[in-house]
Amino acid sequence: NYLNYIQLRDFSISRVNMNATGDDHVSFTAMYIECSPSGNHLLVQTDKDRIIVMRTHTNIQSKNLYGTVNNELSQPRATWHPSGKYIYGTSQNNIIFTWDVLTEEVKYRLYGHTGYPRDLSYHPTKEVLFTCSYDKTLRIWGVDKENNE
């Protein structure tokens, strides 16, 4: 369970253990990784119903987000809101989860897909989340500014 940072100038490698205890026990597999808008954190989507938010270039787990249903056969995806305040993640039960990064709480569950969500992306300048699914649909989720939802 290591992140390998590779310097492209000289191809030197530094390794960061993703286990909170620092041991070499493999209890999860990193399935997807994405850098935060600020560049200070990484989200690591795992096969064990968890997203780990880590400080870049350290072994510090800032947050652990739970709620999704994923296993070693899934292909989970997650993405940051451009503000860095929220993370959106896919789940095998066809739900898109929204976490408040600060509190680690599930803020919203987005229902609508009838098949496993395959990917998602948040528009960089508009309040819109795009998702696509094995149900052969693309959904565009907008934010209700008046209700802040």
Side-chain angles (χ1 to χ4, degrees):
N1 288 342
Y2 287 90
L3 284 174
N4 292 298
Y5 288 95
I6 303 168
Q7 284 292 335
L8 295 179
R9 280 181 246 113
D10 62 5
F11 296 104
S12 61
I13 299 173
S14 60
R15 292 179 63 178
V16 174
N17 191 328
M18 290 190 294
N19 284 336
T21 60
D23 64 3
D24 284 330
H25 178 74
V26 179
S27 59
F28 64 88
T29 300
M31 302 294 285
Y32 183 79
I33 188 168
E34 185 174 301
C35 192
S36 68
S38 69
N40 295 327
H41 292 88
L42 295 173
L43 70 78
V44 180
Q45 178 94 17
T46 73
D47 64 339
K48 298 297 183 193
D49 305 336
R50 173 172 78 152
I51 294 176
I52 304 168
V53 178
M54 300 188 68
R55 289 192 194 159
T56 53
H57 297 282
T58 73
N59 64 347
I60 297 171
Q61 293 185 8
S62 300
K63 305 288 180 180
N64 282 280
L65 309 176
Y66 296 94
T68 60
V69 177
N70 290 305
N71 63 32
E72 63 277 356
L73 300 177
S74 66
Q75 298 175 350
R77 296 290 184 270
T79 194
W80 294 87
H81 183 275
S83 69
K85 293 180 181 179
Y86 305 102
I87 290 177
Y88 304 88
T90 62
S91 182
Q92 281 183 304
N93 59 1
N94 307 336
I95 301 170
I96 307 294
F97 283 77
T98 306
W99 289 270
D100 181 305
V101 175
L102 185 62
T103 65
E104 300 179 50
E105 293 177 359
V106 174
K107 188 157 178 77
Y108 302 107
R109 289 174 181 84
L110 305 177
Y111 298 91
H113 283 297
T114 58
Y116 180 55
R118 176 64 189 101
D119 207 358
L120 72 171
S121 179
Y122 206 96
H123 193 282
T125 60
K126 300 191 185 310
E127 293 293 320
V128 178
L129 176 71
F130 302 94
T131 62
C132 61
S133 166
Y134 285 111
D135 65 11
K136 301 179 183 172
T137 65
L138 169 69
R139 293 191 176 262
I140 302 171
W141 308 85
V143 174
D144 180 349
K145 294 272 188 190
E146 285 190 29
N147 296 318
N148 202 24
E149 296 178 344

